[in-house]
Amino acid sequence: NAGVTQTPKFQVLKTGQSMTLQCAQDMNHEYMSWYRQDPGMGLRLIHYSVGAGITDQGEVPNGYNVSRSTTEDFPLRLLSAAPSQTSVYFCASRPRRGQSEQFFGPGTRLTVL
Amino acid sequence: AQSVAQPEDQVNVAEGNPLTVKCTYSVSGNPYLFWYVQYPNRGLQFLLKYITGDNLVKGSYGFEAEFNKSQTSFHLKKPSALVSDSALYFCAVRVLNRDDKIIFGKGTRLHILP
């Protein structure tokens, strides 16, 4: 199993550009989440999904869109990048039921100039 | 509101000494509690979890954590620190409601001094 994979690892954008951060998992997990990590702020939940076709907003959803067309994939879209979106982004997945922990991807470091 | 607090931004411990990284939580009901570790330029790795049962749980790399319901705490401990334990540690709580989210603390940077 590859676990949770994220692409790209690094990205530099100019203000106003759009891009999609990819996330995929091969563990058949229903629950997937996107977090951003900023110094002194910990991990903040952006969006999450409890299964294919279902998404919901987390703590800091503004400026981001998500979709969940398959169980495996959960892309995060930045429609018009802003410097405030400079951060490290982590995707995570877990089974929806039971007592399992979350599994994290390696992260994407995004810089918006 | 549901929350997780890690009151120390940084903890410094001499190698070989015991270490404690503090975590308190505020959630309704009986939460699931987790500790994760993040090494530089890496993702988060799971260390241990408390679901139910024995208040002292053991995890990876010799770490353990003690659940205290009356103090709503879940402190991470290790009897003898190693320099390689230096990393960023996150406490997290799974809120068992309709949203079923996992909320993270802000993290504590652990420095083990040789």
Side-chain angles (χ1 to χ4, degrees):
Chain A
N1 285 352
V4 181
T5 58
Q6 291 183 240
T7 56
K9 284 186 167 45
F10 302 95
Q11 183 70 50
V12 178
L13 292 177
K14 295 180 180 178
T15 296
Q17 287 185 316
S18 63
M19 80 159 295
T20 299
L21 279 62
Q22 300 292 345
C23 174
Q25 52 91 11
D26 61 358
M27 297 173 282
N28 202 32
H29 288 167
E30 301 96 332
Y31 204 112
M32 295 186 74
S33 306
W34 275 103
Y35 294 88
R36 59 178 289 174
Q37 182 181 18
D38 303 291
M41 303 293 289
L43 274 76
R44 293 182 292 171
L45 183 64
I46 305 172
H47 285 284
Y48 64 100
S49 169
V50 300
I54 306 169
T55 63
D56 209 341
Q57 295 181 351
E59 183 184 354
V60 288
N62 292 342
Y64 307 95
N65 278 355
V66 292
S67 60
R68 184 92 181 272
S69 56
T70 67
T71 299
E72 294 78 18
D73 300 299
F74 191 41
L76 179 71
R77 297 184 185 85
L78 283 70
L79 300 178
S80 178
S84 61
Q85 294 178 305
T86 294
S87 188
V88 181
Y89 291 85
F90 289 102
C91 181
S93 76
R94 64 176 169 87
R96 183 174 179 182
R97 293 177 178 80
Q99 302 165 347
S100 174
E101 64 275 15
Q102 269 192 143
F103 297 81
F104 282 84
T108 294
R109 185 174 294 274
L110 176 67
T111 301
V112 183
L113 302 175
Chain B
Q2 329 278 10
S3 65
V4 177
Q6 294 181 242
E8 302 151 320
D9 291 335
Q10 183 168 310
V11 171
N12 297 323
V13 177
E15 186 176 24
N17 282 3
L19 69 87
T20 298
V21 183
K22 296 179 181 177
C23 172
T24 59
Y25 63 91
S26 175
V27 299
S28 55
N30 296 317
Y32 294 171
L33 296 158
F34 304 87
W35 275 101
Y36 286 84
V37 60
Q38 184 181 33
Y39 298 101
N41 300 312
R42 303 289 295 276
L44 275 73
Q45 297 179 30
F46 168 74
L47 275 180
L48 52 77
K49 63 185 175 185
Y50 174 81
I51 304 300
T52 187
D54 194 349
N55 289 344
L56 186 66
V57 294
K58 295 186 184 298
S60 306
Y61 312 121
F63 283 93
E64 56 191 27
E66 186 169 13
F67 171 66
N68 187 316
K69 187 172 183 177
S70 63
Q71 298 185 1
T72 61
S73 67
F74 188 54
H75 301 332
L76 182 70
K77 300 181 180 185
K78 187 173 183 181
S80 179
L82 300 172
V83 172
S84 56
D85 293 330
S86 298
L88 185 59
Y89 290 81
F90 289 98
C91 182
V93 59
R94 179 176 167 185
V95 183
L96 299 176
N97 58 15
R98 185 189 72 88
D99 295 331
D100 198 17
K101 298 175 190 175
I102 294 182
I103 302 171
F104 284 80
K106 294 187 176 183
T108 297
R109 189 162 297 280
L110 179 63
H111 284 287
I112 307 302
L113 308 171

